[in-house]
Amino acid sequence: MSGRFLRLACTAVVAAVQAAVAPLPALAAPGPERPVAELLTDLQQAYRQAEQATEAYNAAAERLNRQRTVVTRLDGELAVARRSLHGSRDEAGRLARQQYQNSTGISPYVRLLLARDPQHALDEGHVIGELARERAKTVGRLADDERRQTGLARRARAALDAQLALAEGQKKQRDEVRTRLSDVERMLASLTPAQLTALAGLEQDRTADAQRSLTASGALGTGTPPPSPAGDRAVRYAVRQLGKPYQWGAAGPVSYDCSGLTSQAWDHAGRPIPRTSQEQWADLPHVPLDRLRPGDLVVYFPEATHVALYLGDGKVVQAPRPGAKVKVSPIAANPILGAVRPDPTAAPLARYTPPAIPRAATEGPDESFGTLPPTLPAL
């Protein structure tokens, strides 16, 4: 990586951080007199903003981890270059001392004419020539090592500056998540038990309507093809996480956010994928909904801020949002953006038996309106 390229990369990092931490729009103030439908819209918006901030935090964390790897690699290369430079300097000093000690001021041609044994003098001249060439190589190596150390030192410093910028961006993203979750907490605290019950019922009704419409449209096709071997492993991993709590920025094994669950499921299946829902949507091959097979990822909202893992039969397993647990939901529980397949070239299993799903995993609302944890999670 050239110094110019690294400077451009650092500039891009700072720009990305500044864009990522742009504040999200404020929410309308809740009130007990407002219609339940409006309250539901506001709460859904609040959770969506929190999840958007969470995925931005996850992306910042991934960029920071990658940059730390770059810094570590460059630091190692710089240490090697400094040792090589030190060795070259020692060798150059030794040759310089030898040259000074062996200098007689008499031309090699004169020594040849005066020598009693001309052949010996010729052999000696050959040795002297070899030493001169070795000195030239040492000086050239010293100059190369000097240039390499200087370049690596400059790149290491630029990489460290980029790491510091990413760390600051990650901190801002963390603060943004906490702000958004505090907004949700305040809204929930302002509502009565009757309003919370009405909100949960209204959302269940809307999800059921969306699921019926999607199924009736034929968009899901007919039947569910079997998964690939890796898709089967991803599904079974995700099912084993049912009932574990949602926590922003978490990727198991105790708790998960939405993309933490999907990325870990495929990682345990032997096919690592990007960490965030936006990267999963951008980097993985897209697949039509009518060709979905278990293990595919269903991505939601125009900004690709939520993701779930397809189980088959119009259902997904997901980590819905703060206050909820990993559960099985209708695929239409959120507005679908599309679907992606981590292993598009893998052949499906010849025979497939879906994992057993506990009844409790499908009961209750798909979007919890219970209170958030009393203490927001720390880094």
Side-chain angles (χ1 to χ4, degrees), residues 19-216:
V21 301
L24 295 169
L27 297 170
E33 72 284 351
R34 297 180 63 206
V36 172
E38 289 185 12
L39 293 174
L40 176 59
T41 298
D42 281 353
L43 272 171
Q44 288 174 332
Q45 180 187 9
Y47 277 118
R48 183 177 170 187
Q49 289 175 356
E51 191 159 50
Q52 185 175 349
T54 297
E55 289 300 280
Y57 167 85
N58 291 336
E62 286 296 294
R63 289 194 297 268
L64 180 57
N65 287 336
R66 288 194 292 267
Q67 192 61 32
R68 282 173 175 157
T69 301
V70 171
V71 170
T72 300
R73 176 178 58 79
L74 287 174
D75 284 347
E77 291 181 10
L78 182 57
V80 171
R82 283 172 173 163
R83 287 195 296 270
S84 177
L85 177 60
H86 182 72
S88 295
R89 283 173 173 165
D90 287 347
E91 188 176 358
R94 178 178 60 81
L95 291 175
R97 288 191 298 273
Q98 288 178 350
Q99 185 174 14
Y100 174 77
Q101 292 166 357
N102 295 333
S103 176
T104 63
I106 300 177
S107 165
Y109 303 106
V110 174
R111 288 202 302 273
L112 177 62
L113 292 173
L114 297 178
R116 293 180 181 179
D117 185 350
Q119 184 60 46
H120 176 73
L122 285 172
D123 292 342
E124 186 181 60
H126 176 72
V127 172
I128 292 173
E130 287 296 319
L131 288 174
R133 284 189 287 274
E134 182 62 29
R135 290 190 189 105
K137 289 180 183 178
T138 299
V139 171
R141 188 162 56 248
L142 176 61
D144 290 343
D145 287 346
E146 288 272 13
R147 285 192 294 269
R148 176 171 171 75
Q149 179 194 252
T150 300
L152 279 172
R154 183 168 54 249
R155 290 163 59 193
R157 180 63 207 178
L160 180 60
D161 289 342
Q163 176 178 320
L164 294 174
L166 285 170
E168 180 62 24
Q170 185 191 34
K171 179 179 179 298
K172 290 180 179 179
Q173 289 295 349
R174 177 201 63 192
D175 294 342
E176 181 65 30
V177 175
R178 288 174 170 171
T179 297
R180 291 299 159 184
L181 291 178
S182 295
D183 290 343
V184 175
E185 196 171 38
R186 283 193 299 272
M187 290 186 70
L188 291 172
S190 72
L191 301 177
T192 66
Q195 286 176 314
L196 292 172
T197 300
L199 284 171
L202 178 59
E203 186 157 41
Q204 279 186 295
D205 291 343
R206 288 185 175 180
T207 296
D209 290 342
Q211 186 75 4
R212 281 192 295 270
S213 296
L214 182 64
T215 302

